[in-house]
Amino acid sequence: PDYLTAEAHAALDLDTHDPFVVVSRVETCLYMGNTLLRDTDVNSMANSLEVRVPFVARPMLELAGRIPSQLHGAGRGPGKRLLRRAGAGILPSHVVDRAKTGFTLPVNDWLPVELRDSSEAAIAAVSTVPFLDAAAVRTLWRKFVADRGHTHWMKPLLLVTLGDYVSRTAAAT
């Protein structure tokens, strides 16, 4: 099925049936601009940051769009092969050759360091929830603070979030 409206088709100028090109244009025109760049702008400005997004200039996008789709994913090896080849000789090898990584927020550092006082207050509050094992909650938090490399941040974050909710709800009643 076709999920794009007629207006989206007209705006995207989809003169091809190449799935790679279609998805690239949809992501660039509808998702990147309306979601990713907007969210980056709102969040960076809220924190007095000026963010520059590389490779988003119109000439760069048009150039990338002219590269045949079979070349984008061709070959074995690390991701973004064409971009790596273009940067070779310009960028240091430790940048060009490094492994591809995703972006994650540094929650692992925020909870036990910058947000430690509020996190521990939330852990104390969530420890009072009758259907949770208070000792297990405190043990998980202590292990996370002591060795963040071996305890994934998701469970402590969930407990801190629940504890914060419990505290706010109790204060409101």
Side-chain angles (χ1 to χ4, degrees):
D2 190 353
Y3 298 102
L4 296 175
T5 63
E7 294 83 13
H9 275 283
L12 296 171
D13 188 28
L14 293 174
D15 56 354
T16 179
H17 295 289
D18 182 335
F20 184 89
V21 173
V22 171
V23 169
S24 294
R25 285 189 191 164
V26 168
E27 285 184 340
T28 300
C29 297
L30 301 178
Y31 179 61
M32 182 177 65
N34 296 338
T35 304
L36 297 177
L37 294 177
R38 184 206 154 283
D39 290 354
T40 299
D41 187 54
V42 168
N43 288 296
S44 64
M45 296 305 268
N47 292 285
S48 301
L49 295 173
E50 179 71 25
V51 174
R52 300 283 184 211
V53 183
F55 311 119
V56 184
R58 181 180 283 294
M60 179 64 82
L61 293 173
E62 289 172 351
L63 174 65
R66 288 193 301 269
I67 298 171
S69 62
Q70 62 269 24
L71 293 180
H72 282 274
R76 299 268 183 232
K80 305 199 184 295
R81 190 176 54 80
L82 294 175
L83 185 59
R84 290 171 189 272
R85 188 183 306 165
I90 300 169
L91 298 171
S93 61
H94 73 275
V95 172
V96 174
D97 298 331
R98 78 176 193 184
K100 183 177 173 186
T101 60
F103 173 77
T104 59
L105 295 172
V107 174
N108 212 33
D109 296 324
W110 290 344
L111 290 178
V113 181
E114 287 90 351
L115 301 174
R116 187 169 191 150
D117 292 343
S118 59
S119 294
E120 290 189 344
I123 292 297
V126 81
S127 295
T128 66
V129 174
F131 58 83
L132 293 177
D133 181 341
V137 168
R138 289 190 297 270
T139 298
L140 186 134
W141 178 255
R142 277 196 307 273
K143 285 182 178 180
F144 174 66
V145 170
D147 188 6
R148 295 189 309 266
H150 287 90
T151 304
H152 192 270
W153 55 264
M154 183 57 75
K155 285 183 183 178
L157 175 63
L158 292 171
L159 291 172
V160 166
T161 303
L162 179 59
D164 183 64
Y165 173 79
V166 167
S167 294
R168 290 174 192 262
T169 303
T173 58

